[in-house]
Short mmCIF file of all heavy atoms in Angstrom, two decimals:
data_model
loop_
_atom_site.label_atom_id
_atom_site.label_comp_id
_atom_site.label_asym_id
_atom_site.label_seq_id
_atom_site.Cartn_x
_atom_site.Cartn_y
_atom_site.Cartn_z
N LEU W 395 98.65 78.40 102.79
CA LEU W 395 98.71 78.36 101.30
C LEU W 395 99.75 77.41 100.68
O LEU W 395 99.57 76.85 99.60
CB LEU W 395 99.09 79.84 100.78
CG LEU W 395 97.87 80.81 100.98
CD1 LEU W 395 98.51 82.23 100.63
CD2 LEU W 395 96.80 80.46 99.98
N GLU W 396 100.85 77.41 101.45
CA GLU W 396 101.94 76.41 100.99
C GLU W 396 101.60 74.90 101.22
O GLU W 396 102.35 74.09 100.75
CB GLU W 396 103.20 76.76 101.70
CG GLU W 396 103.70 78.19 101.16
CD GLU W 396 104.00 78.13 99.63
OE1 GLU W 396 104.44 77.24 99.06
OE2 GLU W 396 103.73 79.28 98.99
N GLY W 397 100.52 74.73 101.93
CA GLY W 397 100.04 73.31 102.08
C GLY W 397 100.44 72.74 103.49
O GLY W 397 101.06 73.40 104.24
N SER W 398 99.88 71.63 103.83
CA SER W 398 100.05 71.12 105.15
C SER W 398 101.30 70.28 105.32
O SER W 398 101.67 70.03 106.44
CB SER W 398 98.87 70.24 105.55
OG SER W 398 98.71 69.15 104.68
N THR W 399 102.03 70.02 104.28
CA THR W 399 103.20 69.29 104.38
C THR W 399 104.30 70.11 104.74
O THR W 399 104.60 71.31 104.23
CB THR W 399 103.63 68.49 103.07
OG1 THR W 399 104.81 67.81 103.41
CG2 THR W 399 103.70 69.32 101.91
N THR W 400 105.24 69.80 105.69
CA THR W 400 106.30 70.56 106.23
C THR W 400 107.70 70.02 105.70
O THR W 400 108.67 70.57 106.13
CB THR W 400 106.31 70.64 107.66
OG1 THR W 400 106.36 69.24 108.14
CG2 THR W 400 105.17 71.30 108.29
N ASP W 401 107.55 69.14 104.82
CA ASP W 401 108.92 68.62 104.31
C ASP W 401 109.13 69.04 102.90
O ASP W 401 110.01 68.46 102.12
CB ASP W 401 108.84 67.03 104.46
CG ASP W 401 107.94 66.37 103.65
OD1 ASP W 401 107.02 67.11 103.08
OD2 ASP W 401 107.86 65.16 103.52
N THR W 402 108.60 70.14 102.46
CA THR W 402 108.97 70.67 101.10
C THR W 402 109.74 71.95 101.38
O THR W 402 109.40 72.80 102.24
CB THR W 402 107.74 70.98 100.26
OG1 THR W 402 106.92 72.08 100.85
CG2 THR W 402 106.79 69.76 100.04
N GLU W 403 110.68 72.17 100.53
CA GLU W 403 111.46 73.39 100.47
C GLU W 403 110.65 74.67 100.41
O GLU W 403 110.88 75.72 101.00
CB GLU W 403 112.54 73.40 99.72
CG GLU W 403 113.78 72.54 100.14
CD GLU W 403 115.05 72.49 99.14
OE1 GLU W 403 115.32 73.74 98.69
OE2 GLU W 403 115.55 71.44 99.03
N ASP W 404 109.59 74.51 99.42
CA ASP W 404 108.82 75.80 99.06
C ASP W 404 108.12 76.17 100.37
O ASP W 404 107.86 77.35 100.59
CB ASP W 404 107.75 75.45 98.09
CG ASP W 404 108.45 75.36 96.68
OD1 ASP W 404 109.56 75.67 96.50
OD2 ASP W 404 107.83 74.70 95.79
N TYR W 405 107.52 75.35 101.12
CA TYR W 405 106.88 75.62 102.34
C TYR W 405 107.71 76.41 103.37
O TYR W 405 107.53 77.51 103.82
CB TYR W 405 106.45 74.37 103.04
CG TYR W 405 105.72 74.40 104.38
CD1 TYR W 405 104.45 74.71 104.56
CD2 TYR W 405 106.55 74.33 105.61
CE1 TYR W 405 103.87 74.78 105.84
CE2 TYR W 405 105.94 74.48 106.89
CZ TYR W 405 104.58 74.77 106.98
OH TYR W 405 104.07 74.87 108.17
N TRP W 406 108.98 75.84 103.56
CA TRP W 406 109.81 76.55 104.53
C TRP W 406 110.41 77.83 103.97
O TRP W 406 110.51 78.78 104.62
CB TRP W 406 111.09 75.60 104.88
CG TRP W 406 110.55 74.51 105.70
CD1 TRP W 406 110.32 73.23 105.38
CD2 TRP W 406 110.14 74.56 107.14
NE1 TRP W 406 109.81 72.43 106.50
CE2 TRP W 406 109.73 73.36 107.55
CE3 TRP W 406 110.13 75.54 108.08
CZ2 TRP W 406 109.35 73.05 108.75
CZ3 TRP W 406 109.82 75.35 109.34
CH2 TRP W 406 109.31 74.03 109.83
N ARG W 407 110.70 77.84 102.73
CA ARG W 407 111.14 79.10 102.02
C ARG W 407 110.11 80.15 102.24
O ARG W 407 110.44 81.30 102.51
CB ARG W 407 111.51 78.74 100.60
CG ARG W 407 112.30 79.80 99.87
CD ARG W 407 112.74 79.38 98.43
NE ARG W 407 113.53 78.18 98.47
CZ ARG W 407 113.22 76.96 97.94
NH1 ARG W 407 112.04 76.84 97.44
NH2 ARG W 407 114.04 76.09 97.99
N ALA W 408 108.88 79.79 101.91
CA ALA W 408 107.80 80.87 102.09
C ALA W 408 107.71 81.39 103.64
O ALA W 408 107.54 82.56 103.86
CB ALA W 408 106.52 80.32 101.70
#
Side-chain angles (χ1 to χ4, degrees):
L395 286 175
E396 291 298 323
S398 60
T399 179
T400 55
D401 61 355
T402 68
E403 283 186 40
D404 289 341
Y405 174 87
W406 289 104
R407 202 175 290 111

